[in-house]
Amino acid sequence: MAVLTHRSSASAPPHIAARLWRALEHGFDALVGAGGNPLKQLGALGFLLLWLLVGSGAVLYAVLDTSASGAYQSIEALSREQWRWGSLLRGLHRYAADAMVLVVLAHVVREWMLGRFRSFRAASWLTGVPLLLLLFVSAIGGFWLNWDRLGQFSATATAEWLDALPGLASPLARNFLSGTQLNDRLFSLFVFVHLGVPLMLVFGLWFHVQRLSRAQVFPTRALATGTGLTLLILAAIRPVRSQGPADLATVPATLNYDWLLLFIHPLTAATSAAMVWGLLVFFMALLLALPWLGVWRARAQPVALRAATGDAVEAGATLPATSHTHWRPAALTQFVAEVDPDHCSGCRRCVEDCPYAAITMVPHPSGRVGMELAQVRSDLCASCGICVGSCPSSTPFRSAEVLHTGIDMPQWPIDALRRQMQSGLVALPGPRRYVVFGCAEGADLGQLSADEVLALPLVCTGLLPPSFIEYALRAGADGVLVATCREGGCAFRLGERWTRERLQGLREPRLRASVSANGWSLVAADRGDEAVLAAALQALRSRTAESFEYPESTA
Amino acid sequence: MKRVFNWAGQALLYGIFAAFVVIFSQWPAYAPLAPEEALIKLSFVHHGQRVAECRPYTADELAKLAPNMRAPLKCGRERAPVTIELDIDGALAYRYTAAPSGLSRDGASTVYKRLELPAGKHRIAVRMRDTTATSGFTYQHDATVDLVPAQVLVIDFDSERGEIVLL
């Protein structure tokens, strides 16, 4: 077997944390299928729960008496005196908040374990960290609005915790001394915390997904329906009830406690306000510093290839130093897609397909009216090469000796891929020859040990123009296997989806319908799925062997 | 068959998730205060006396001031710290000296302290000093209170009445 190792240099063995998370995801895949796996849609699930909170919260606010003396009664009336819908709505609101905290924390853990917080992803990570605070502030503030015993305890404990900060002229906790009735103006502040902070959260989320194109702000319909129904059933089986009206003259004896949202109060009581402030500052600082921590252990830069010769060159020698990327540590700088004005037709397909909104269109330097040229923002470019796969100029059928395309990756030029495929096919001893294009983040192509296989790992299969399959078949390959990551598991978000849709003829550039379906195959195989990859290759072998023995059957 | 397996898998996952949410959103119960205990909240917002006594301006000082700034008395801004002592059943339970707030130390001194104690009868003595004196107290309040479990007793200073109050 021939494996072009310089292309796979982008793929170091995954960190143990990544392997653990992948194993968990694979377990969920086996249970519910890759398409419905909630672990791959945690961000979208978080958005869904936020929409549920906003919707149910808007109705709850409409019936809430926003005075300290009337709030409790109004919520009680909704819960007990209305038909079941009031209780359901309240339960949905509370349980959606609990679920959102779990889902968001799982989202953070996932991105951390998969190492998705550095380099071009740092902006999304950094804008996400403050949202954690806003989420908890919004959630805790919701308990105060009800102004029952739990709300009284939470508001008092929060005030005492805030009083540990220097600079307050008067202790906030004095607002909750017994013998005083809670001030309506203070209650208005509660309303602001629970309405204003979520608005800030939504605004922050807009920043959080700014650098993603086609950000998934809604999970699959099945997952959304299942989640919504689960929360409604929960609200029906176990309604959320108030725990008696607030009474500042006494301390609540026993509370049915929401540990998911209010864990900070018992933690403060068990330690001290200063300790909890310290922990909070420590964890926030740690999360914010994460993109810069451990960069010396970050993945080494892939070796670059000279476009014309395919010779390896040192990565650092050709890295573009731009004003947008200079802040990144040297270990995290990476190559940026380059546009060739002579070969860019301005078709916008790269703009459509880029997962990180890194490409925009500008007037073509030729000055011809209506002509546009793609332009890459280097700080947004993930160096995934998906734009190369989308470019119609990337077709290997062009007769030029050196294949120039409209947009190309300097470290993996498309011309080098064509050369490697041509020379690799010639080098295979035969009589049967197979080409396997695979994602470097996915199943290890090195496991395909056979003399008849040419393995070509790509940083992402989205880099592969579909016409390469037809070209390989015409150049002597008996079959072509394209191995993507599993559905929803693409390290560059959309590479697996775009590859699948292009090969199925659902997306430009399409694999031509005239290409025999017997001659190629598509398989989704993550790291660890090498057996699946081998089985897919074996199936392709069997299929093409039949064609080989009975060539008329493929006509 | 695989579809049925996936449906069953989804039902299992939703069930586990729902169980986790419903359990930890209500259980285990939390008791902010131990049974048979009561709570004292000792809290003051009080301005200490001025460190320097007010005195009339001298003629020279008045002459140097702009006409609209001429006042009969010259008063320093700095306030004395406020010292609080709380005895419960004859033993000193809390002592604290609160510095005046503000960059010029001209703001109020504040105290907020929670003390948990067993419910029942207790002899409470509160003393407050708001001058620069090193001994003696400006205000003092003694009382016997009978606290029921979970009761909150607030010890505050009523500036209108000029005395320490128990609420």
Side-chain angles (χ1 to χ4, degrees), chain A residues 274-345:
Chain A
M275 169 71 83
V276 174
W277 273 114
L279 284 173
L280 178 68
V281 170
F282 172 75
F283 280 114
M284 294 307 288
L286 185 67
L287 289 174
L288 289 171
L290 213 53
W292 291 275
L293 292 180
V295 290
W296 59 90
R297 289 165 53 194
R299 186 164 296 168
Q301 274 300 303
V303 175
L305 299 176
R306 291 186 200 285
T309 65
D311 296 336
V313 295
E314 286 302 318
T318 55
L319 274 175
T322 71
S323 60
H324 297 296
T325 54
H326 66 87
W327 59 273
R328 290 179 187 160
L332 297 182
T333 54
Q334 56 189 13
F335 291 94
V336 172
E338 291 177 351
V339 177
D340 185 340
D342 293 334
H343 294 85
C344 175
S345 65

Side-chain angles (χ1 to χ4, degrees), chain A residues 28 30-33 38 94-95 98-99 102-103 153 156 160 169-171 173-174 176-178 222-223 226-227 230 234 238-239 248-260 265-266 269, chain B residues 5-10 12-15 17-33 39 41 43-45 101 108 110-112 114 149-154 156-157 167:
Chain A
F28 274 58
L31 213 53
V32 299
R94 164 74 87 78
Y95 291 133
D98 288 312
L102 289 176
V103 163
F153 169 70
T156 308
E160 289 171 352
S170 173
R174 281 184 59 82
F176 307 105
L177 296 179
S178 68
L223 192 57
T227 306
T230 302
L234 215 55
R238 188 81 182 177
L248 293 171
T250 59
V251 179
T254 308
L255 295 167
N256 294 328
Y257 205 73
D258 193 322
W259 293 88
L260 299 172
H265 304 323
Chain B
F5 181 75
N6 280 350
W7 277 96
Q10 285 183 32
L12 178 68
L13 280 184
Y14 284 126
F17 185 68
F20 192 88
V21 166
V22 80
I23 287 171
F24 290 107
S25 66
Q26 303 182 12
W27 181 90
Y30 178 65
L33 202 61
L39 182 67
K41 290 185 179 180
S43 179
F44 295 99
V45 176
S101 59
T110 60
V111 177
Y112 181 88
R114 291 165 49 103
Q151 182 182 342
V152 177
L153 174 71
V154 174
D156 201 351
F157 184 82
L167 302 168

